[in-house]
Each structure stands twice: as C-alpha cells, then as structure tokens.
C-alpha cells in the first residue's frame, strides 16, 4: 500500500466503534506527523491536545453540535493555535533554533525584526487567521499518517470554538482551538458513508500543468 492508496481508503468517518482503541504507539506517530509539519517562518504556531478521557470527550459532544464521533472515537485530537503573535514568542522560537543549530547569538535578528514589523502591527484576530492556517497543515499530515496506519479519522470544524477554549482552558495558554480530529476505528456496519464513492474533481479539472 502506498500513500495514494491509503488516501483513497480513508474517509471522514461518521461512526466509530467505541470499543476499539488506537495503540499508544500509533497515536504517537500521528501526533509526530503533525509536529513535523512545516509552518510559516518555522514558528510552529500550533499545538495538539490528545484527549482519551471518556468524560471529557462526552462533554465535547454538545460543543460539537451533538456529533457523537467526538465521544465514540478512541482519541480526540484538538488542534489549537497561538491566539496572537508576540515579541516573546517570535524571539523564543528563534532562540531555540539558534541554540539547536549552534549559530551565533543574534543570527536571526534581522529576520525576526522583519517578522515583528509584519505581525505585531496586526490585530490579534489577523494574527490568529495566520496561526490557524498552520494548524491545517498539521491536520493534513495527521490525517495522512493515520491513513497510513489504517486508523480512521474525521477532520472537523463543526464545533463551538469559544466553548471548547473555555472547557480546555486554552486561553490561559495563549491558544485558541482551530480543528478537531477524532481518530479510531470505523463501525462499518453503522456508518452511512463507509461504502459511498469518494468524489473529487476530475484530475483534468483539478490540476493545470503549465509548461
Ligand atoms: C476543515 C474540515 C472541516 C470538516 N468538518 C467536518 C465536521 O465538522 N463534521 C464532519 O462530519 N465532517 C467534517 N469534515 C469532513 C468533510 O465533509 C469531508 O472530508 C469531505 O466531504 C470529503 O470526504 P472524505 O473526507 O470522506 O473524502 C470536514 C473536513 C475538513 C477538511
């Protein structure tokens, strides 16, 4: 099996078998794929919370418009992004990079000054539009990694972000929720979507090759 076959296999699972749990090693690989995502200016503006606690998952059902998949899944991944850019956040990440690469102190000063000139004059809302985009890249890679492991998943935007932020106390960490990704194993007998054809734009309509 290769990536393309596995992407054809996966679908936005609508019904999970709540008796089946994803092994910790596979959860870790899915999270690792998200961690390895490229991000704008390498700032790694998002984090992932991995929820397996049954009571907490149950509390998220009403926040997710009653979508039972957030409780029936094995693990619920919450992608959360920086609520805004700050001078400290930009400096911190470049300090880590400078240290880890053994570069001279101040190596990135010109670059971080340019980043600050762009982002610190924007509103927090404008900043969050940008940081949230980075979480989507992580989500895509996590979905692909799950498919490679034959773990089902469901990308989800359909939830009340503010209510989830409050429940998980994300504001205290300077984070706001962006996306949910339940992972687990399909309940094939009860999932209306499992046997439906995957529908995508025809290749000829999707890609334009300019030579
Ligand atoms: C960003 C995003 C948000 C989505 N939100 C939801 C959601 O809240 N609930 C849901 O059941 N499916 C959700 N989906 C699943 C899509 O409907 C699904 O991916 C799309 O119809 C393509 O089908 P497939 O993933 O089965 O190939 C979402 C997908 C994406 C990428």
């Amino acid at each position: 099996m290769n990536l393309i076959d596995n992407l054809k296999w996966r679908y936005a699972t609508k019904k999970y078998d709540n008796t089946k749990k994803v092994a910790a090693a596979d959860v870790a690989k899915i999270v690792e794929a998200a961690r390895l995502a490229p991000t704008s200016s390498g700032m790694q503006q998002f984090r992932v919370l991995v929820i397996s606690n049954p009571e907490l998952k149950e509390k998220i059902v009403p926040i997710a418009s009653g979508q039972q998949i957030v409780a029936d899944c094995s693990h619920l991944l919450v992608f959360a992004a920086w609520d805004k850019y700050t001078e400290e956040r930009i400096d911190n990440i470049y300090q880590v990079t400078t240290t880890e690469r053994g570069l001279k102190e101040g190596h990135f000063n010109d670059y971080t000054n340019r980043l600050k000139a762009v982002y610190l004059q924007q509103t927090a809302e404008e900043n969050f539009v940008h940081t949230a985009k980075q979480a989507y890249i992580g989500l895509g890679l996590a979905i692909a990694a799950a498919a490679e492991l034959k773990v089902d998943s469901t990308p989800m935007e359909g939830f009340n972000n503010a209510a989830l932020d409050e429940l998980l106390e994300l504001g205290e960490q300077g984070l706001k929720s962006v996306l949910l990704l339940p992972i687990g194993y399909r309940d094939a007998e009860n999932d209306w979507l499992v046997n439906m054809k995957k529908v995508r734009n025809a290749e000829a309509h999707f890609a334009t090759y300019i030579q």
Side-chain angles (χ1 to χ4, degrees):
M1 279 292 230
N2 60 25
L3 178 62
I4 300 299
D5 289 330
N6 288 326
L7 293 178
K8 288 178 179 168
W9 169 85
R10 67 146 297 278
Y11 71 107
T13 304
K14 303 296 180 197
K15 183 89 179 126
Y16 284 89
D17 180 340
N18 64 9
T19 66
K20 292 188 181 157
K21 302 295 166 206
V22 180
D26 284 349
V27 175
K29 284 178 193 159
I30 294 164
V31 171
E32 181 67 350
R35 190 180 73 93
L36 290 171
T39 51
S40 180
S41 296
M43 287 191 281
Q44 304 168 58
Q45 298 91 330
F46 71 93
R47 301 288 180 270
V48 175
L49 287 80
V50 183
I51 303 175
S52 53
N53 178 283
E55 291 80 34
L56 186 53
K57 285 191 295 170
E58 208 54 67
K59 277 189 193 163
I60 298 174
V61 174
I63 289 173
S65 316
Q67 297 184 82
Q68 193 60 34
I69 48 178
V70 300
D72 288 345
C73 66
S74 166
H75 293 71
L76 178 64
L77 274 55
V78 179
F79 287 74
W82 287 348
D83 55 358
K84 60 179 179 298
Y85 285 106
T86 63
E87 181 155 19
E88 195 188 5
R89 279 174 158 164
I90 295 171
D91 283 339
N92 279 350
I93 187 66
Y94 277 93
Q95 184 57 54
V96 171
T97 307
T98 300
T99 305
E100 296 229 352
R101 290 181 177 165
L103 299 169
K104 200 160 73 69
E105 284 302 313
H107 177 87
F108 289 109
N109 279 358
D110 285 349
Y111 188 60
T112 53
N113 284 338
R114 285 207 295 280
L115 292 177
K116 290 174 195 173
V118 173
Y119 294 120
L120 300 186
Q121 52 84 32
Q122 292 181 351
T123 64
E125 287 72 24
E126 288 170 327
N127 278 180
F128 182 64
V129 168
H130 189 248
T131 62
K133 285 178 184 169
Q134 317 312 315
Y136 281 81
I137 302 169
L139 176 92
L141 291 175
I143 291 169
E148 293 270 83
L149 295 163
K150 287 289 189 288
V151 170
D152 288 300
S153 68
T154 317
M156 288 179 64
E157 281 177 327
F159 64 99
N160 181 328
N161 300 60
L164 187 64
D165 295 353
E166 200 178 318
L167 178 69
L168 300 178
E169 299 179 344
L170 293 180
E172 284 83 332
Q173 303 169 59
L175 297 172
K176 287 168 77 168
S177 58
V178 181
L179 291 151
L180 299 178
L181 187 70
I183 61 171
Y185 295 100
R186 63 188 70 176
D187 175 355
E189 279 182 15
N190 295 300
D191 192 334
W192 62 267
L193 191 54
V194 68
N195 290 319
M196 297 265 178
K197 185 176 189 288
K198 188 174 286 295
V199 182
R200 292 292 190 270
N201 286 315
E203 197 275 339
H205 290 285
F206 178 68
T208 303
Y209 294 86
I210 303 169
Q211 293 176 332

